[in-house]
């Protein structure tokens, strides 16, 4: 019988396939081997955690996120070696609620850390983050971690609300914003803007903010010229003192929140002016922290996350930052208020990538808790997802939506690439606009939220309304922790 050429090919292919099956049958992967592979993946994951949080840094303020004159070589390198997230959100557009969201993995409306009366906590505020909340630091403590908070806290300055009462072994920092405890009123004479252009604004004595170690005030006013540098030094000291055991470090810079201050080495250097000086000093500090991790042999064993608490303070004109191509800034529920330049770095376990999936600071609670094997609280509604599959397995983010609150009211919702605004308001004005038909934007096509497509897509609005209904069904608002002052 004559065998045609194509038949030989088939016979060869069938034989090879059969041999492969035979080989697999003779060499089955044992359960132990499967487990071992999973174990190896687990073993390679970082064991230490560092969050570096800037204050009022805009989406467009790093060179790797498009700023033409601010030089951030260390953050840029971090972004090129790790994951650069372009759709990463904070839980609110101003300091206190945003920080509460990061710490608790919950929308601040659930624990009362947001308010329609005062948008943030002040030095005369009575309350802070309730003890009934579980913080990310408390989760790490349950896993035996050493924990430190360095920098701005802004979740209550009384002893029962300080970091040392919320899961941190130690605290060093200014407990609220660096423009507080002002000794002359901002609004007079000559109004808000004239103050920010005045000579007094350049004097650290104008802002009588305390610097604390644990629960004691050690310096007042804090020397803000050297504050970024000193926070960095504290961070490095903490890393070196704890290199033998697992640690969680929360390094929350007070800058580039106005008033801007930089140390002598940085002041006057940046082509972007004083704002650029402060960002470049933070960038330098990030480089030093990463170098300290490398020197301690911990760079392959540490996950470092860099982001900011809210968008740029545009009201401050040239002293405020930039949201780049995003609309508006701090205080608003437009993208510029809540989308932040974000980097995840863990050389050896995170492969370099640009991630366009949605993530949030609220996801860090869930992700870190799962990584250290501590259960997520089941007695309350949590708002985080586990980012582990995106970070370590090149899979999709489980987060598909984002809720944009102002105070205790839901202003906008993102579902997939679409965002609907039900209410809009300028960041620092009283007028509120309710939209019977919400404004609708496709954020992939139109990240600047310029082109309202609501009329063309009623079905998408319907879908987003259904998500809002589901969200509202589980919503219990916490008592307002920010309203009582004086
Ligand atoms: Mg802020």
């Amino acid at each position: 019988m004559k065998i045609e050429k194509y038949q030989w090919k088939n016979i060869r292919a069938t034989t090879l396939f059969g041999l492969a099956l035979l080989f697999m049958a003779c060499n089955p992967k044992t359960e132990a081997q499967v487990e071992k592979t999973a174990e190896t993946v687990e073993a390679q994951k970082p064991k230490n955690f560092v969050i570096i949080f800037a204050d009022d840094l805009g989406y467009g303020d790093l060179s790797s996120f498009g700023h033409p004159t601010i030089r951030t070589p260390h953050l840029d390198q971090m972004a090129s070696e790790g994951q650069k997230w372009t759709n990463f959100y904070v839980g609110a557009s101003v300091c206190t609620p945003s920080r509460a969201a990061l710490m608790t993995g919950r929308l601040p409306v659930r624990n009362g850390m947001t308010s329609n009366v005062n948008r943030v906590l002040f030095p005369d505020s009575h309350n802070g983050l309730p003890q009934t909340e579980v913080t990310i630091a408390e989760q790490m403590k349950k896993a035996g971690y050493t924990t430190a908070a360095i920098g701005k806290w802004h979740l209550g300055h009384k002893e029962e609300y300080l970091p040392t009462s919320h899961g941190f072994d130690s605290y060093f920092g200014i407990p609220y914003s660096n423009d507080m405890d002002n000794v002359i009123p901002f609004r007079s004479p000559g109004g808000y803007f004239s103050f920010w252009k005045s000579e007094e604004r350049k004097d650290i004595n104008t802002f009588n903010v305390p610097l604390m170690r644990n629960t004691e005030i050690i310096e007042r006013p804090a020397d803000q010229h050297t504050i970024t540098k000193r926070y960095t030094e504290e961070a490095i000291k903490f890393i070196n003192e704890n290199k033998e055991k697992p640690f969680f470090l929360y390094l929350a810079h007070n800058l580039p929140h106005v008033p801007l201050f930089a140390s002598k080495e940085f002041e006057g250097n940046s082509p972007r002016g004083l704002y650029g000086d402060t960002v470049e000093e933070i960038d330098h500090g990030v480089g030093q922290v990463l170098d300290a991790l490398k020197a301690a042999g911990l760079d392959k064993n540490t996950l470092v996350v860099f982001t900011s608490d809210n968008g740029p303070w545009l009201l401050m004109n040239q002293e405020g930052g930039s949201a780049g191509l995003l609309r508006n800034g701090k205080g608003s529920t437009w993208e510029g208020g809540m989308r932040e330049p974000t980097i995840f770095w863990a050389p050896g376990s995170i492969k370099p990538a640009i991630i366009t999936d949605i993530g949030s600071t609220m996801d860090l609670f869930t992700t870190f808790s799962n990584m250290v094997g501590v259960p997520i609280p089941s007695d309350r509604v949590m708002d985080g997802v586990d980012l582990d599959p995106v970070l370590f397995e090149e899979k999709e983010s489980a987060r598909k939506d984002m809720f944009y609150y102002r105070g205790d009211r839901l202003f906008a919702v993102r579902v997939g690439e679409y965002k609907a605004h039900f209410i809009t308001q300028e960041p620092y004005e009283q007028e509120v606009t309710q939209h019977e038909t919400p404004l609708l934007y496709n954020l992939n096509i139109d990240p600047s939220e310029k082109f309202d497509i609501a009329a063309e897509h009623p079905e998408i609005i319907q879908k987003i309304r259904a998500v809002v209904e589901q969200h509202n069904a589980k919503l219990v608002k916490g008592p307002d922790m920010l309203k009582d002052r004086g």
Side-chain angles (χ1 to χ4, degrees):
M1 188 180 72
K2 192 180 170 198
I3 296 173
E4 298 289 339
K5 214 175 184 181
Y6 72 92
Q7 286 175 309
W8 271 120
K9 268 190 189 165
N10 278 349
I11 291 164
R12 263 202 323 250
T14 314
T15 313
L16 282 174
F17 183 65
L19 283 172
L21 279 180
L22 190 67
F23 178 80
M24 282 159 74
C26 295
N27 296 280
K29 241 187 193 166
T30 63
E31 249 175 58
Q33 275 175 316
V34 172
E35 247 172 50
K36 185 132 194 237
T37 319
E39 259 174 35
T40 316
V41 172
E42 277 307 308
Q44 280 169 351
K45 286 182 188 172
K47 299 288 178 288
N48 303 307
F49 300 88
V50 178
I51 297 174
I52 306 179
F53 213 39
D55 195 359
D56 293 7
L57 179 84
Y59 185 80
D61 281 329
L62 305 183
S63 31
S64 40
F65 279 78
H67 201 283
T69 51
I70 300 177
R71 299 160 301 193
T72 51
H74 301 98
L75 285 160
D76 301 345
Q77 191 178 342
M78 197 178 151
S80 72
E81 291 172 0
Q83 287 184 354
K84 170 181 160 179
W85 285 63
T86 58
N87 281 278
F88 198 87
Y89 292 91
V90 287
S93 68
V94 289
C95 300
T96 298
S98 168
R99 284 152 202 272
L102 165 68
M103 275 298 136
T104 63
R106 278 149 60 79
L107 284 166
V109 67
R110 301 194 197 280
N111 47 39
M113 289 302 286
T114 188
S115 160
N116 302 330
V117 183
N118 297 302
R119 297 189 75 183
V120 297
L121 289 168
F122 288 87
D124 62 352
S125 293
H126 295 183
N127 302 310
L129 185 66
Q131 269 311 325
T132 46
E133 288 299 303
V134 179
T135 69
I136 188 170
E138 284 164 344
Q139 292 287 92
M140 305 310 272
K141 284 307 298 173
K142 286 176 203 157
Y145 275 58
T146 303
T147 56
I150 298 169
K152 176 170 172 176
W153 178 240
H154 217 176
L155 296 174
H157 60 279
K158 292 184 177 170
E159 190 165 339
E160 64 266 38
Y161 301 119
L162 284 171
T164 44
S165 300
H166 274 302
F168 289 98
D169 297 322
S170 62
Y171 175 54
F172 175 79
I174 298 173
Y176 34 72
S177 295
N178 62 335
D179 65 336
M180 292 181 170
D181 291 321
N182 45 306
V183 298
I184 51 170
F186 292 160
R187 291 178 194 279
S188 63
Y192 205 72
F193 291 114
S194 68
F195 168 79
W196 290 103
K197 285 179 184 160
S198 70
E199 281 304 304
E200 287 93 335
R201 167 257 165 276
K202 295 177 189 157
D203 185 354
I204 56 158
N205 295 300
T206 299
F207 312 95
N208 193 32
V209 287
L211 178 67
M212 304 187 80
R213 181 158 311 271
N214 300 322
T215 57
E216 304 294 323
I217 294 174
I218 56 166
E219 185 180 304
R220 191 165 201 169
D223 181 356
Q224 295 202 42
H225 287 289
T226 57
I227 202 71
T228 298
K229 190 195 215 171
R230 286 190 285 167
Y231 287 166
T232 300
E233 287 165 1
E234 281 285 324
I236 292 167
K237 192 167 156 247
F238 173 78
I239 290 166
N240 288 332
E241 283 173 359
N242 293 285
K243 56 186 169 193
E244 307 296 339
K245 47 193 174 178
F247 61 77
F248 168 55
L249 168 61
Y250 173 55
L251 169 56
H253 286 287
N254 274 92
L255 291 157
H257 188 291
V258 171
L260 303 172
F261 292 101
S263 65
K264 278 200 193 80
E265 297 93 305
F266 287 88
E267 196 176 335
N269 280 359
S270 174
R272 167 62 178 88
L274 188 53
Y275 183 86
D277 296 339
T278 64
V279 176
E280 291 182 14
E281 185 161 15
I282 288 170
D283 175 73
H284 179 74
V286 170
Q288 288 182 310
V289 168
L290 301 190
D291 283 349
L293 290 170
K294 286 175 196 161
L298 296 175
D299 51 317
K300 300 276 191 302
N301 200 19
T302 306
L303 172 61
V304 183
V305 186
F306 177 89
T307 190
S308 173
D309 71 330
N310 53 250
W313 204 358
L314 300 177
L315 200 64
M316 292 298 148
N317 297 346
Q318 291 185 49
E319 297 214 344
S322 164
L325 84 175
L326 304 180
R327 184 165 170 176
N328 218 304
K330 174 178 180 171
S332 88
T333 44
W334 297 100
E335 288 298 287
M338 291 174 62
R339 202 196 292 192
E340 297 304 323
T342 303
I343 303 164
F344 285 78
W345 182 87
S349 48
I350 289 182
K351 286 187 190 152
I354 294 172
I355 306 294
T356 58
D357 286 8
I358 307 173
S360 163
T361 49
M362 291 178 285
D363 303 333
L364 300 181
F365 184 107
T366 309
T367 307
F368 291 10
S369 297
N370 287 348
M371 283 176 74
V372 301
V374 171
I376 309 295
S378 56
D379 61 345
R380 59 198 71 201
V381 178
M382 299 296 297
D383 293 293
V385 305
D386 191 346
L387 298 179
D388 185 295
V390 194
L391 297 175
F392 305 110
E393 295 168 47
E394 297 170 70
K395 289 185 180 157
E396 260 182 40
S397 171
R399 177 174 288 283
K400 303 294 175 205
D401 53 29
M402 187 61 216
F403 297 87
Y404 305 68
Y405 273 87
R406 176 171 173 144
D408 72 351
R409 286 185 301 172
L410 185 60
F411 271 42
V413 177
R414 175 176 183 171
V415 176
E417 67 213 80
Y418 294 100
K419 177 178 175 186
H421 291 261
F422 298 96
I423 309 173
T424 50
Q425 183 177 5
E426 282 303 302
Y428 296 96
E429 283 172 25
Q430 297 305 314
E431 194 188 331
V432 175
T433 310
Q434 301 260 4
H435 302 277
E436 203 175 308
T437 302
L439 310 175
L440 184 71
Y441 300 94
N442 181 319
L443 295 177
N444 282 356
I445 290 168
D446 177 23
S448 307
E449 298 173 281
K450 279 183 185 164
F451 310 106
D452 178 12
I453 51 167
E456 296 129 66
H457 290 291
E459 79 290 355
I460 289 164
I461 291 174
Q462 214 177 349
K463 188 179 159 194
I464 296 179
R465 282 195 199 277
V467 171
V468 172
E469 255 176 56
Q470 269 183 346
H471 172 79
N472 287 344
K474 282 199 290 181
L475 181 67
V476 179
K477 293 182 182 180
D480 186 339
M481 303 304 288
L482 275 48
K483 72 178 193 321
D484 295 330
R485 292 176 64 183

